[in-house]
Amino acid sequence: MQDIRGIVFDKDGTLFDFHRTWAAFNARLIADLAGGDTERAAALAEALGFDLEEPRFLPDSPMIAGTIEVVIEAVARILPELDEALVVRQVRDGSHAITPVEAVPLVPLLDGLIHQGLVLGVATNDSEAPARAHLASLGVLDRFAFVAGYDSGHGAKPAPGMLDAFCRATGLPPAACAMIGDSAHDLVSGRAAGMVTVGVLTGIAEEAELAPLADVVLADIGALPGWLADRGREAPRRA
């Protein structure tokens, strides 16, 4: 069993608590796009897999692991009269301005991993620019040697392009890296890249969905140091 030397994190639902970061934003976005029309808002919420009453994302929401195009396509189906460029601008401007909610305190966790010699990266199906803005807003952008979004030129998950790019950028072999994510897209991507896969439960997916695709499922990324320590202790016995 090879030592883990690089860790690639998904962003939303992994570094950040998915509901607490995005639910209020998404409720406002739906209301704004619907222009106060409750029927249109309900139709759009259904298309986006979102419960307006809670407000909360539903387990089958295409927004959980999708790119901005998922939102644009849903809006176009439900509200075809809206200008696509306006919708894109509204989504991107609004997402830039959100304040992410950490799944766990990130500074001590990331600094501890770096102190152990691990190289860290982010691979998200969000755009790269807002991803960097979100990480910077919490003072952790400089902890990552690599940050990529679906628009960075490496493709989107579940394809492994972003993870392949992380390995090229860092010089680490895939087998020495772990992909950490809250969705099946993350874990499929990790497996396709040849990485160890770690599921976390701070997104929408439940353990039963993640377990078949993960080498391990953790409650949240705060459990990573313990898992890495256990893995290190197990390595000699499995050699």
Side-chain angles (χ1 to χ4, degrees), residues 50-159:
F50 190 76
D51 183 344
L52 285 171
E53 295 296 323
E54 290 289 334
R56 188 173 181 85
F57 293 89
L58 300 175
D60 61 350
S61 171
M63 298 183 72
I64 294 170
T67 66
I68 191 173
E69 277 74 18
V70 170
V71 181
I72 304 309
E73 290 170 5
V75 173
R77 289 197 309 272
I78 306 301
L79 307 173
E81 70 277 10
L82 293 184
D83 178 69
E84 181 175 315
L86 176 64
V87 176
V88 170
R89 186 165 61 253
Q90 192 165 348
V91 172
R92 285 187 172 158
D93 289 351
S95 66
H96 265 83
I98 70 156
T99 301
V101 178
E102 299 166 297
V104 301
L106 291 179
V107 169
L109 172 67
L110 300 177
D111 285 351
L113 295 173
I114 292 169
H115 183 71
Q116 293 178 42
L118 291 158
V119 180
L120 309 181
V122 172
T124 175
N125 275 357
D126 197 357
S127 300
E128 181 178 340
R132 288 184 175 275
H134 297 157
L135 295 169
S137 73
L138 297 176
V140 296
L141 177 59
D142 63 350
R143 271 68 168 187
F144 297 98
F146 176 89
V147 177
Y150 85 96
D151 56 354
S152 299
H154 313 300
K157 296 174 289 186

